[in-house]
Amino acid sequence: MTDYAELKLRAEHAVGYTDMRIAPDVILALIAKNKSLKADHDLLMSNALPREFIKMRADYDQLKAENELMRHRLAACAKEMRTASDWICKEVEVPTKSATHWAIRLKTNADQVDGALGKGEQS
């Protein structure tokens, strides 16, 4: 029962009678307290939800900015690995097994990073 108008009216008319199980003034006090609590709840929710949304949006924006920064740094690392791989291939006069291994490994890692960033293979 959410509409207490009829109950309130009956309780108001019964004030002063003593043959009731619950005193009418108690019923009226409970109805008033219930209305007060509902009003407090409604006010709290109307203020809390927008604040919570604003906080969540700020958190989202911060995470998005951090993600973009990490993507930028990761792309720079991939570029540096590709540069190192190219340098090893061009500058090492006598290609050793170790130099070839590291050149291939750096290029493979750079390709994996580019793939994860959605850039595809950058040869």
Side-chain angles (χ1 to χ4, degrees):
M1 178 188 287
T2 57
D3 184 14
Y4 297 105
E6 183 181 347
L7 181 60
K8 183 178 177 186
L9 184 62
R10 288 183 183 200
E12 287 171 348
H13 289 304
V15 171
Y17 291 102
T18 58
D19 61 345
M20 302 200 53
R21 290 186 178 169
I22 299 177
D25 55 335
V26 173
I27 294 172
L28 293 172
L30 290 173
I31 291 171
K33 183 66 173 174
N34 189 36
K35 284 185 179 181
S36 171
L37 290 173
K38 182 171 179 357
D40 290 348
H41 175 266
D42 292 346
L43 179 63
L44 176 66
M45 293 311 292
S46 68
N47 289 334
L49 291 178
R51 280 196 309 264
E52 187 62 27
F53 175 77
I54 290 168
K55 182 185 178 315
M56 287 173 55
R57 181 61 193 207
D59 291 346
Y60 168 79
D61 290 343
Q62 179 181 354
L63 289 172
K64 187 175 178 183
E66 289 173 4
N67 186 46
E68 285 302 313
L69 178 62
M70 294 304 290
R71 288 177 65 83
H72 176 73
R73 289 179 178 171
L74 193 55
C77 287
K79 183 178 178 184
E80 190 69 26
M81 286 188 287
R82 196 171 305 287
T83 301
S85 174
D86 291 345
W87 181 86
I88 290 171
C89 290
K90 291 177 187 173
E91 297 296 324
V92 174
E93 300 248 344
V94 180
T96 63
K97 187 175 183 181
S98 177
T100 303
H101 166 79
W102 281 105
I104 292 170
R105 186 168 177 185
L106 286 169
K107 183 181 179 316
T108 302
N109 288 343
D111 290 343
Q112 289 174 347
V113 168
D114 288 337
L117 292 174
K119 294 182 178 180
E121 188 170 323
Q122 304 281 326
S123 293

